[in-house]
Amino acid sequence: MHEPSRRDGFQGEVIAATPGGEALLTCIQCGTCGGSCPSGSDMDHTPRQLFAMINAGLKDDVLSSNTPWYCVSCYYCTVRCPKEIPITELMYALKRMAVKEGAFDDSKAPDFSKTFIHWVEDYGRSFELGLMGTHMIRHNPFGAFKIADMGFGMVTKGRMAFAPTRIKGMDGLKRILAKAKQLEAQA
Amino acid sequence: MAEKVGVYICHCGSNIAGMVDVVEVARWAGENLENVAVAREYKFMCSSLGQELIEEDIKKEGLTRVVVGACSPHLHEKTFRKACANAGLNPYLMQMASLREQISWVSTDKDKATEKAKALISGAVRRVIEQEELFASEVPVNPNTLVVGGGVTGIQAALELADAGYPVYLVEREPSIGGHMAQFDKTFPTLDCSACILTPKMSDVGQHENITLLSYAEVESVSGYVGNFHARIKKRARSVKEADCTGCGVCIEKCPKKVIDDVFEAGLGYRKAVYRPFPQAVPKYPVIDRENCTYYLKGTCKACEKFCPTNAIDFEQQDTYLDLDVGNIILATGFDMFDATRLPQYGYGRLANVFSNLEFERMCNAAGPTDGKVVLRDGVTTPQSIALVHCVGSRDKKHNPYCSAVCCMAALKFGHLAIEKTGGQVYSFYIDMRTPHKNYEEFYDRLLSEGMQFVRGRVAEVTDAARLPGEEGKLIVQSEDTLAGRQRRTPVDMVVLMGALEPRHDARETALKFGISCSMNGWFTERHPKLDPVATMTDGVFIAGVCQGPKDIPDSVAQGAAAAARVMAMITKGTVLIEPVVATIHEENCSGCRICNNLCPYNAITFLDDKGVSFINAALCKGCGTCVAACPAQAISGAHFSNEQIFSELEGLLYDAISGNGGGRKFEPAGVPA
Amino acid sequence: MKYSYFPGCSLEKNAASYHESTMAIAGPLGLDFVEVEDWNCCGATEYHALNQTAAYALIARNLAQATKNEGLDTLVAPCSACYLNLRKCDKYMATEPALAGRVSQALAEAGLSYTGGTLHVRHLLDVIHNDIGLETLHAKASHPLKGLRVAPYYGCMIVRPGFHNGDDDPEYPMTLDRLLTALGAEVVDYPMKAHCCGGHMTQISEATGFEMIRRLVKGADDYDADLIVTICPMCQLNLDGFQGAMNRHFGTSYHIPVLYFTQLIGLALGLPPKQLGIGSEIVSARDALAKIGAEVEPAEGAPPRRKRDDKALPMPGRRGEG
């Protein structure tokens, strides 16, 4: 098997952080990913552009791009890529790298994820009201009014939980996650 | 009398010398190995000077054996054997040690490499002493040739041979020759009418006194060996008596049953149950499609029989079989088109106005289902905008990783035809524009000037789901314009998918039938991709055209002619040498158990009932050694691979484990896994 | 047929009707679901954005817990995001040794372990379509959904990246189409059926999120669907819950209710709507469902004979149509 040799620098980091990431080296910049992306027109850079930038070693530009945060994980790019590059997984890796370095420009998306996980790490389950509440106050204070009728509908139809549920094995889960984070930092 | 071995170590530039200390190996061989009379090292043994070294030494030193440590025998065994023969030494008294492929190219440690080289040379020297003189046998070459496939490649090959005066059998599966080229409208880059340049050749084939055209026929089985093949051909029943048919076409006119023609018309048009694939068909005889003919289905109609003026219809006609003896075979079986339904995101088969490339060819063709008009699926509306989608099924790990070589040019051709016929806007969505050959780049420039629009971006999807105003009722091609750096949604009326060229669906069976190999993709394997693209590893069987790999018409024609030239060389020579490295059964030791009979991968062993022993056909035998190993009575010997030879080589390789002959190489057993 | 069952956070409250309808049809279909003990949130797409090992450890705890259901080697998830997470985690535990090693070490902190490949993770749609089968569904549909035009909506994570057990196509899946046809509904050839609903995009960029929802609702509307049938609670929330806000954002006035496929199965089986959680949708399904049971002329008669002077060109054959 022919082993590609370019594994150093920023591109190497990105590849190492992604299962199946070596395929990125075979990208021919065909643009199928950029063309398939449903949120592509709102991204700073199309997925393809981002890969060209990674190839060029433009770490700061890549990590501060909103592209990974606008990825909705629809996997269209992944199933259509003629080189079978795991693009969605690469986006996750870039998100993680951006969070680690605090490199993103707009904190809205990372904050949303952090808030979501905050509830999971304390209760073992997600808590929508807590998530939406915190997120809207911080990032979209007037947004709450826009979806007031939806919120009202959710409440009256019995689809809104007012308190979080805690799983029984919460202590165990906390230990699991603490250990996982420690190992991730060392990897 | 002791043998005199000449040992020659090649540097191969730095290819071997860069890893193996060739000077040391030569010195060591000369000083330490028994029977070595001369030991030299030289920069390039395969050069004429290198060969002369050997020849001189044979003559002057009276060498009786030669060992050359160099590259792979695959490359130069013939060269060094010839050098020996030139100097009067039997060529089978030469042995090569592959110091390059088996040592220098796979080693990283110079010391270990040098030690290994010494071992290989030691093995080769001991072996060559046990080797015996062998003499190639000559078999005659039958001057007949079988050409399988009547597309432009097969036609070219057949005409070349026939014009040279040699008899050719041309077998074609479809009712007419012509292949895919007959389906095209114009050909790039000259925009010649495809049929206009092909049909004269087709006529020549039909009328040539040296060509026996077997159409609507297939090769059932092949046996034999180079110069002497036997092929069984199945001629399918046309239900038309060729001797009586004048080709007037009344039967076709009167036939009431219409079916979709999914072969020649690519499913875009109709034909009758009795039909000729196209008007200029060669031969002119129609065929009754028994699967759709009313008579065969229900027992009624028979309109064709009623109206035929010469009583040429024969519903009872049976398939016939022909047995042919030929000397050489040329396979020119062509390709199949990619089925674009495999890429659902392009909507082929679901969205009416998405067409395949073959459908579009038929549409443009003046003799096609729309009389040459470019129209939408409704058969009436002229599209105002057309999108050509490149690389459909090509350059895609999920389908075919290769590039199909012709589609970029075909897309340019379609662009030109579309602009000419509709005056509309034509878009090409590509990854790269591949226009490598003569006048191809100029053709690209021409289309740019004609106003064809090029978007560099592989199409993500073709959809009818409108999103923005102006998209309603259109097909929207969604892509990223990678050069402009943004997503584009391009509304068009019609989309044409440039599908990949694929090997025939039964390519693997065909390869098996003729005893050749296919690559992973299904294309037939040539003997050498650079230097011998029309020969195969099976002597006497040649390949030409797209069946060897995607290519355009000029290259296909060139390969057809090249294969014909190779065959002509064999025929004019009249005989072919059969390698003497074969197995022989010693009748006195054979018990007639017949274990070897079914083991032979080349079907070279038969059983002689009268003698009660097995017999090996030396011409079919490839010397693989399977039977030699299997015979429980050790009654079979493999020339050039006798037990003595093999064991001597082993002793030579292990020279320092067996006492004597210098050394110092440590034997390190591999670590036992934990 | 017995399975381990992973409901996921949404099915607790937000998508309770999905859970209720699943439980309601389980009995009549012969399905027995054993909930995974003390399961935790799968993390959706959120944890992957923060910490890889923690994300997979979170998911793996569920896989480990599921193995406690003796003798049940199939884990069924009704939510596409949970399904994909569980499936991916199971796969990586087998194929990515470095990651698997870290996850295993983390699980050990709670005395848990999981070996990749132990469980078959499947989506609820897959189980019902392949294990129950269309013939059985058709036979049990005592109240066929005749007259109802439905747009089958798969969303993205069930069909892509393609771990799906059955041979459903990642671009143009047909499982749900066939299932709804077996229930007697008129299935619309919905071109957006496998396009993404946007996930949490409404919270990151309203314009982007609403646009993705608009495309889906418009697509169903353009094809005259009475309702959209979904197989994932996130899709349901986006298309149903945010339909009003989307309408306001664009000035459109779509009214297309969004129901779960299990609710439609329940209706076809003759179960009362209340039992299936119908009525909890924001965009009311009442008008659409009023159509069921109405006597409607069959849409297709014999295929029209090809006229003599009909110039229309034949279509290429489609594959995979059964």
Side-chain angles (χ1 to χ4, degrees):
Chain A
M1 245 265 296
H2 178 64
E3 284 272 273
S5 56
R6 268 192 329 205
R7 292 182 186 282
D8 47 350
F10 178 51
Q11 188 182 46
E13 268 181 68
V14 174
I15 289 174
T18 312
E22 313 74 48
L24 181 58
L25 293 169
T26 64
C27 172
I28 52 171
Q29 290 282 303
C30 71
T32 305
C33 52
S36 301
C37 184
S39 44
S41 45
D42 294 333
M43 292 175 169
D44 289 336
H45 311 96
T46 64
R48 173 204 60 84
Q49 267 178 320
L50 211 66
F51 298 140
M53 290 156 69
I54 293 173
N55 189 26
L58 302 172
K59 181 169 176 175
D60 293 332
D61 293 336
V62 170
L63 292 183
S64 58
S65 169
N66 77 356
T67 300
W69 301 107
Y70 271 63
C71 170
V72 291
S73 310
C74 79
Y75 288 90
Y76 260 137
C77 52
T78 302
V79 303
R80 290 176 181 171
C81 174
K83 294 305 187 106
E84 296 187 327
I85 299 169
I87 297 165
T88 315
E89 294 291 329
L90 282 162
M91 290 299 162
Y92 282 132
L94 289 170
K95 280 180 189 153
R96 291 192 289 269
M97 289 168 82
V99 165
K100 199 165 161 199
E101 313 237 346
F104 41 81
D105 272 354
D106 178 2
S107 68
K108 200 170 184 186
D111 281 347
F112 185 85
S113 298
K114 286 180 187 170
T115 311
F116 182 106
I117 292 303
H118 158 74
W119 293 103
V120 175
E121 286 180 350
D122 276 351
Y123 292 89
R125 299 275 176 91
S126 65
F127 178 43
E128 238 152 69
L129 186 58
L131 167 63
M132 297 296 271
T134 313
H135 184 73
M136 294 219 129
I137 289 170
R138 202 192 290 183
H139 284 287
N140 193 7
F142 299 106
F145 295 107
K146 283 196 199 160
I147 56 166
D149 64 334
M150 169 189 166
F152 182 72
M154 299 283 281
V155 170
T156 52
K157 307 278 184 180
R159 289 169 71 175
M160 179 78 79
F162 288 101
T165 322
R166 182 176 266 119
I167 63 170
K168 282 185 271 189
M170 201 52 231
D171 287 338
L173 180 59
K174 280 203 159 107
R175 287 198 301 276
I176 290 175
L177 295 178
K179 185 72 182 176
K181 288 183 194 175
Q182 181 200 15
L183 292 170
E184 174 90 348
Q186 290 164 358
Chain B
M1 198 185 68
E3 303 296 348
K4 284 179 156 180
V5 183
V7 173
Y8 302 88
I9 312 294
C10 184
H11 291 226
C12 194
S14 63
N15 258 321
I16 298 177
M19 184 56 61
V20 174
D21 186 346
V22 290
V23 173
E24 164 59 18
V25 175
R27 178 207 66 80
W28 175 86
E31 285 175 20
N32 293 294
L33 296 178
E34 282 179 40
N35 297 311
V36 171
V38 154
R40 301 188 198 286
E41 34 80 25
Y42 187 65
K43 268 245 154 40
F44 294 104
M45 281 308 297
C46 57
S47 65
S48 34
L49 289 171
Q51 294 172 51
E52 274 167 34
L53 262 182
I54 298 177
E55 291 173 30
E56 290 293 304
D57 280 348
I58 292 174
K59 290 184 199 146
K60 287 205 190 121
E61 306 290 331
L63 296 180
T64 57
R65 299 284 190 276
V66 169
V67 165
V68 183
C71 51
S72 162
H74 235 125
L75 291 164
H76 279 305
E77 186 172 62
K78 237 186 184 162
T79 313
F80 300 123
R81 278 186 179 167
K82 203 151 186 298
C84 292
N86 284 344
L89 183 66
N90 184 290
Y92 293 90
L93 299 178
M94 188 287 298
Q95 175 69 352
M96 267 183 90
S98 176
L99 301 184
R100 191 180 73 173
E101 278 80 344
Q102 296 195 8
I103 304 183
S104 68
W105 276 1
V106 296
S107 301
T108 49
D109 182 325
K110 284 189 183 174
D111 290 331
K112 288 191 176 156
T114 306
E115 290 308 305
K116 186 174 173 183
K118 288 178 183 173
L120 284 200
I121 294 298
S122 164
V125 167
R126 289 229 191 173
R127 188 196 203 287
V128 81
I129 288 169
E130 303 295 331
Q131 276 165 222
E132 290 171 359
E133 289 186 333
L134 295 171
F135 301 91
S137 52
E138 269 189 307
V139 293
V141 172
N142 187 314
N144 296 339
T145 308
L146 173 64
V147 176
V148 183
V152 67
T153 308
I155 288 171
Q156 185 69 27
L159 285 173
E160 300 264 354
L161 283 160
D163 283 345
Y166 300 118
V168 179
Y169 293 100
L170 178 57
V171 174
E172 164 56 50
R173 197 196 309 215
E174 296 300 324
S176 165
I177 53 175
H180 282 294
M181 191 175 167
Q183 293 175 289
F184 301 161
D185 176 32
K186 303 271 193 300
T187 54
F188 55 76
T190 50
L191 295 172
D192 275 309
C193 152
S194 188
C196 305
I197 57 178
L198 181 64
T199 46
K201 288 196 193 244
M202 286 169 57
S203 285
D204 283 350
V205 166
Q207 293 164 359
H208 211 295
E209 58 180 359
N210 287 331
I211 300 180
T212 307
L213 176 54
L214 302 165
S215 61
Y216 207 48
E218 286 188 69
V219 177
E220 280 266 293
S221 62
V222 181
S223 62
Y225 51 95
V226 58
N228 301 274
F229 291 108
H230 312 289
R232 178 148 243 254
I233 313 294
K234 172 165 135 182
K235 263 203 70 132
R236 295 168 62 194
R238 292 180 116 94
S239 308
V240 168
K241 286 177 280 190
E242 295 180 17
D244 298 327
C245 174
T246 59
C248 69
V250 166
C251 53
I252 300 173
E253 211 186 293
K254 297 296 182 187
C255 175
K257 183 76 182 280
K258 251 192 179 177
V259 285
I260 292 183
D261 180 351
D262 52 23
V263 177
F264 191 78
E265 296 287 14
L268 202 63
Y270 298 86
R271 60 164 169 80
K272 300 287 185 73
V274 57
Y275 71 103
R276 265 193 289 259
F278 52 98
Q280 310 97 321
V282 169
K284 58 182 186 257
Y285 314 116
V287 154
I288 296 185
D289 169 11
R290 294 188 180 189
E291 279 179 35
N292 287 297
C293 165
T294 310
Y295 171 74
Y296 288 101
L297 290 174
K298 296 186 206 158
T300 54
C301 182
K302 288 198 181 187
C304 50
E305 193 184 49
K306 282 188 206 116
F307 285 96
C308 176
T310 56
N311 207 8
I313 303 288
D314 176 8
F315 290 110
E316 311 306 315
Q317 198 180 66
Q318 300 293 313
D319 296 340
T320 50
Y321 292 86
L322 275 112
D323 288 300
L324 304 176
D325 288 328
V326 297
N328 292 278
I329 300 173
I330 299 177
L331 296 175
T333 48
F335 63 95
D336 279 338
M337 292 303 321
F338 180 74
D339 173 12
T341 57
R342 290 161 65 185
L343 286 167
Q345 64 265 39
Y346 291 158
Y348 183 69
R350 186 171 49 89
L351 299 170
N353 292 314
V354 177
F355 293 86
S356 70
N357 41 359
L358 261 184
E359 282 182 309
F360 194 71
E361 286 277 5
R362 292 312 303 154
M363 198 188 285
C364 289
N365 192 304
T370 62
D371 299 326
K373 288 196 276 295
V374 172
V375 286
L376 296 179
R377 197 71 71 169
D378 63 5
V380 173
T381 316
T382 308
Q384 293 306 305
S385 49
I386 299 177
L388 301 164
V389 179
H390 292 227
C391 306
V392 176
S394 304
R395 301 185 72 183
D396 188 337
K397 280 198 171 149
K398 291 183 168 55
H399 298 285
N400 299 300
Y402 53 81
C403 165
S404 290
V406 300
C407 331
C408 280
M409 285 304 293
L412 290 172
K413 173 187 77 175
F414 284 164
H416 171 83
L417 292 170
I419 291 171
E420 196 179 58
K421 290 173 192 270
T422 68
Q425 182 65 263
V426 180
Y427 301 90
S428 143
F429 293 87
Y430 67 96
I431 309 176
D432 294 291
M433 280 308 289
R434 297 195 156 169
T435 55
H437 293 150
K438 193 166 184 175
N439 290 322
Y440 285 14
E441 183 67 18
E442 293 88 327
F443 193 59
Y444 179 23
D445 193 58
R446 172 180 178 171
L447 264 303
L448 281 162
S449 310
E450 288 185 14
M452 187 164 160
Q453 285 226 356
F454 293 88
V455 178
R456 190 199 175 272
R458 182 169 176 267
V459 171
E461 63 183 271
V462 175
T463 179
D464 61 342
R467 204 192 274 180
L468 305 161
E471 291 183 356
E472 309 283 344
K474 297 276 201 187
L475 286 176
I476 298 114
V477 176
Q478 187 166 304
S479 66
E480 182 193 349
D481 181 335
T482 64
L483 299 176
R486 57 177 70 187
Q487 270 190 356
R488 262 174 96 151
R489 282 173 68 92
T490 312
V492 295
D493 295 324
M494 176 194 263
V495 172
V496 179
L497 304 176
M498 306 307 295
L501 269 54
E502 288 188 322
R504 291 276 182 194
H505 64 275
D506 58 352
R508 284 202 164 78
E509 285 81 42
T510 306
L512 216 59
K513 197 180 284 187
F514 288 90
I516 61 173
S517 0
C518 277
S519 67
M520 284 289 286
N521 294 321
W523 304 112
F524 295 148
T525 308
E526 61 288 300
R527 188 172 273 247
H528 191 281
K530 292 276 206 193
L531 300 179
D532 210 351
V534 296
T536 63
M537 294 303 280
T538 306
D539 292 331
V541 179
F542 299 91
I543 52 179
V546 180
C547 65
Q548 185 257 348
K551 57 177 67 70
D552 53 24
I553 293 169
D555 285 350
S556 298
V557 167
Q559 279 201 345
R566 296 292 291 273
V567 170
M568 269 191 256
M570 306 268 280
I571 298 173
T572 48
K573 181 126 191 298
T575 57
V576 68
L577 287 175
I578 303 290
E579 269 261 354
V581 180
V582 294
T584 317
I585 296 179
H586 302 287
E587 289 187 4
E588 59 279 10
N589 296 338
C590 174
S591 66
C593 72
R594 303 178 70 166
I595 286 178
C596 57
N597 287 199
N598 289 331
L599 285 173
C600 179
Y602 301 96
N603 292 322
I605 309 183
T606 47
F607 188 69
L608 303 174
D609 287 302
D610 51 342
K611 288 193 187 172
V613 295
S614 294
F615 169 75
I616 297 176
N617 179 338
L620 281 170
C621 173
K622 295 280 178 189
C624 72
T626 308
C627 59
V628 177
C631 177
Q634 297 204 11
I636 310 181
S637 57
H640 213 57
F641 286 91
S642 69
N643 286 347
E644 293 72 35
Q645 289 159 4
I646 295 174
F647 287 132
S648 305
E649 186 164 14
L650 286 171
E651 284 176 15
L653 286 168
L654 297 169
Y655 70 91
D656 55 348
I658 305 164
S659 57
N661 259 9
R665 179 172 59 134
K666 278 177 70 169
F667 177 59
E668 285 164 62
V672 178
Chain C
M1 283 171 277
K2 223 170 167 190
Y3 305 88
S4 281
Y5 179 69
F6 182 86
C9 300
S10 310
L11 265 71
E12 297 287 277
K13 205 80 171 104
N14 171 2
S17 57
Y18 195 3
H19 181 74
E20 282 156 25
S21 49
T22 302
M23 292 302 127
I25 64 174
L29 293 181
L31 294 165
D32 189 5
F33 294 116
V34 179
E35 197 166 309
V36 172
E37 192 198 307
D38 202 34
W39 54 268
N40 54 269
C41 175
C42 75
T45 57
E46 313 302 343
Y47 226 163
H48 294 297
L50 303 174
N51 188 304
Q52 188 186 49
T53 311
Y56 286 104
L58 183 71
I59 304 168
R61 181 178 173 279
N62 291 313
L63 291 167
Q65 290 288 102
T67 56
K68 291 181 182 172
N69 287 345
E70 285 274 348
L72 297 182
D73 65 356
T74 302
L75 176 59
V76 182
C79 163
S80 297
C82 301
Y83 160 72
L84 181 59
N85 267 339
L86 291 163
R87 191 76 195 254
K88 250 203 309 184
C89 183
D90 171 63
K91 179 180 175 210
Y92 287 158
M93 290 300 279
T95 63
E96 299 290 322
L99 174 61
R102 295 196 294 273
V103 170
S104 295
Q105 270 190 275
L107 286 178
E109 291 289 314
L112 295 169
S113 69
Y114 182 74
T115 311
T118 310
L119 296 171
H120 298 294
V121 178
R122 297 171 67 185
H123 192 287
L124 182 62
L125 175 64
D126 165 20
V127 164
I128 293 181
H129 180 273
N130 291 317
D131 294 1
I132 306 296
L134 297 177
E135 275 181 42
T136 310
L137 275 173
H138 183 75
K140 293 195 184 221
S142 53
H143 293 65
L145 310 172
K146 247 201 315 206
L148 198 60
R149 281 178 66 83
V150 295
Y153 178 57
Y154 298 74
C156 57
M157 292 188 179
I158 185 179
V159 289
R160 293 186 295 277
F163 303 123
H164 199 71
N165 268 353
D167 50 3
D168 222 356
D169 195 282
E171 295 281 351
Y172 198 75
M174 288 295 287
T175 327
L176 183 58
D177 297 55
R178 287 193 290 259
L179 190 150
L180 293 168
T181 306
L183 297 177
E186 190 184 330
V187 175
V188 153
D189 183 15
Y190 183 40
M192 304 297 288
K193 64 175 154 178
H195 279 243
C196 182
C197 69
H200 67 202
M201 230 26 223
T202 51
Q203 304 311 305
I204 309 302
S205 160
E206 235 171 46
T208 311
F210 287 162
E211 168 60 15
M212 291 181 73
I213 296 170
R214 182 192 74 91
R215 291 170 194 167
L216 296 169
V217 174
K218 175 180 178 356
D221 188 64
D222 284 349
Y223 274 77
D224 296 320
D226 295 319
L227 61 91
I228 294 174
V229 181
T230 180
I231 54 141
C232 168
M234 187 71 240
C235 299
Q236 205 280 343
L237 180 64
N238 267 329
L239 293 176
D240 174 39
F242 283 101
Q243 200 172 124
M246 180 276 290
N247 271 330
R248 276 193 301 281
H249 185 93
F250 290 104
T252 49
S253 54
Y254 297 111
H255 180 100
I256 306 198
V258 185
L259 292 178
Y260 293 104
F261 79 107
T262 43
Q263 291 174 306
L264 271 102
I265 294 177
L267 288 172
L269 292 176
L271 298 174
K274 205 84 204 306
Q275 196 187 353
L276 304 168
I278 293 179
S280 70
E281 64 285 352
I282 308 289
V283 178
S284 173
R286 186 189 298 140
D287 290 339
L289 293 182
K291 286 192 176 187
I292 306 181
E295 291 302 295
V296 178
E297 295 283 285
E300 53 240 314
R305 275 189 64 93
R306 199 175 162 274
K307 293 199 207 50
R308 239 176 193 287
D309 57 354
D310 183 358
K311 291 195 175 338
L313 304 167
M315 281 289 287
R318 284 166 74 155
R319 60 167 186 141
E321 297 285 275

